[in-house]
Amino acid sequence: MMGGTATDGIQLQWRLVDMHCHPDQLANGSEVASDAEQLGLALFCVTVSPADALAALERFDANSNVFVGAGLHPWWLADGRCSESDIEAAARLVATSRLIGEIGLDFNGPRAETAALQERGLSAILQSCARHPMSGRVLSLHAGKAAGRMLDLLEEFGIPEHASCVFHWFSGTSEELTRARSAGCIFSVNERMLASKRGREYARQIPLERLLIETDAPRTFGQRSSARALGNSLERTLDTLASIRPESRSRIADQAVALGMELLSA
Ligand SMILES: [Zn+2]
């Protein structure tokens, strides 16, 4: 068994761990969170702004299966929904946060025009992490055409040495994947990543002990969903992983649950 005795109880408690999702952006997020608990589904609720993070912390306070990250999504900076004051608020919030995300850089299409603002935002957050180190810190990272730049900044602030850096839905180049692996990064994969040939090839190459699963649900913010739908998405991700990797499905699932809970409940 993976993980030793410390994770045995956790493995019994949680059947699946969704390592990157947005239940606070569901029309019926509170219902989904409670139903997920009944199904043995733990959720890493990443947020898109510091205000949303504070709201989610309060909203899911009673849900022992929901773990909220302090985030500032690069899309929110790129399209002006978040601004300099949110960067300052995010930098303050992460100083006292163990779980951080969703943060990152996205240089796809017109969002590249705001690269400097995005880099300023990410740098402020990483600098705050570096100045306020905390044991067991976890970052859920979004990189669109920017994995190399993301790794530059993570290394500039010495983050990989004292935090778990989780690339969500890795879509960089093969060289960037190699570099992220060398830096000790972890990877959470979802069914949409596995829909592409390149995504499947990356998911095949990631070492089992660095592999997590996620839904990144909902696809459209404000939608309704169900805990069962999240669970089914994770099950399909495990099906695909088992079809492309040498390990058995149950071994992949056990490992992903053990690693996920080790990170979330440290
Ligand atoms: Zn996301």
Side-chain angles (χ1 to χ4, degrees), residues 138-260:
V138 180
L139 286 73
S140 188
L141 305 165
H142 170 119
K145 285 221 169 91
R149 193 64 194 123
M150 167 83 78
L151 287 161
D152 290 345
L153 292 176
L154 289 172
E155 284 165 7
E156 182 182 328
F157 292 103
I159 304 299
E161 282 99 80
H162 63 81
S164 297
C165 299
V166 183
F167 270 90
H168 124 77
W169 193 343
F170 187 86
S171 63
T173 65
S174 189
E175 291 72 25
E176 287 165 339
L177 178 66
T178 303
R179 194 179 153 202
R181 282 178 57 176
S182 304
C185 295
I186 298 169
F187 304 87
S188 63
V189 307
N190 60 51
E191 58 178 330
R192 279 184 282 160
M193 172 178 168
L194 297 178
S196 81
K197 194 175 170 210
R198 195 174 59 146
R200 286 193 297 279
E201 180 53 29
Y202 288 170
R204 199 183 60 76
Q205 292 175 15
I206 295 164
L208 182 64
E209 65 277 10
R210 308 251 208 103
L211 183 64
L212 295 162
I213 56 173
E214 59 162 65
T215 63
D216 198 21
R219 194 182 283 224
T220 307
F221 281 13
Q223 277 179 340
R224 289 181 64 82
S225 188
S226 66
R228 194 159 298 280
L230 299 188
N232 288 344
S233 175
L234 296 175
E235 299 282 7
R236 286 192 296 271
T237 297
L238 287 170
D239 289 342
T240 306
L241 287 172
S243 73
I244 59 176
R245 295 185 58 100
E247 304 90 2
S248 71
R249 190 186 189 285
S250 63
R251 179 138 196 264
I252 297 169
D254 286 352
Q255 165 62 24
V257 170
L259 177 59

Side-chain angles (χ1 to χ4, degrees), residues 16-223:
L16 288 169
V17 181
D18 185 343
M19 277 302 286
H20 182 110
C21 57
H22 301 269
D24 62 323
Q25 304 293 345
L26 286 168
N28 59 335
S30 301
E31 178 193 2
V32 170
S34 302
D35 291 350
E37 193 159 12
Q38 298 300 312
L39 291 178
L41 178 56
L43 311 173
F44 185 7
C45 170
V46 291
T47 57
V48 297
S49 72
D52 280 12
L54 294 173
L57 281 166
E58 195 175 314
R59 180 177 180 183
F60 298 121
D61 186 45
N63 297 100
S64 66
N65 62 323
V66 181
F67 301 82
V68 175
L72 181 56
H73 198 295
W75 292 1
W76 268 248
L77 282 177
D79 67 15
R81 277 178 284 180
C82 284
S83 61
E84 301 286 351
S85 63
D86 297 291
I87 292 176
E88 286 168 27
R92 275 196 305 274
L93 186 58
V94 300
T96 56
S97 303
R98 189 177 66 78
L99 300 177
I100 295 166
E102 178 167 2
I103 58 170
L105 301 170
D106 198 319
F107 298 165
N108 279 301
R111 292 192 176 109
E113 290 162 25
T114 59
L117 173 67
Q118 293 183 41
E119 288 196 20
R120 205 155 64 243
L122 181 61
S123 296
I125 289 167
L126 297 181
Q127 184 174 56
S128 181
C129 288
R131 285 183 179 160
H132 304 93
M134 193 179 290
S135 88
R137 186 173 262 145
V138 180
L139 286 73
S140 188
L141 305 165
H142 170 119
K145 285 221 169 91
R149 193 64 194 123
M150 167 83 78
L151 287 161
D152 290 345
L153 292 176
L154 289 172
E155 284 165 7
E156 182 182 328
F157 292 103
I159 304 299
E161 282 99 80
H162 63 81
S164 297
C165 299
V166 183
F167 270 90
H168 124 77
W169 193 343
F170 187 86
S171 63
T173 65
S174 189
E175 291 72 25
E176 287 165 339
L177 178 66
T178 303
R179 194 179 153 202
R181 282 178 57 176
S182 304
C185 295
I186 298 169
F187 304 87
S188 63
V189 307
N190 60 51
E191 58 178 330
R192 279 184 282 160
M193 172 178 168
L194 297 178
S196 81
K197 194 175 170 210
R198 195 174 59 146
R200 286 193 297 279
E201 180 53 29
Y202 288 170
R204 199 183 60 76
Q205 292 175 15
I206 295 164
L208 182 64
E209 65 277 10
R210 308 251 208 103
L211 183 64
L212 295 162
I213 56 173
E214 59 162 65
T215 63
D216 198 21
R219 194 182 283 224
T220 307
F221 281 13
Q223 277 179 340

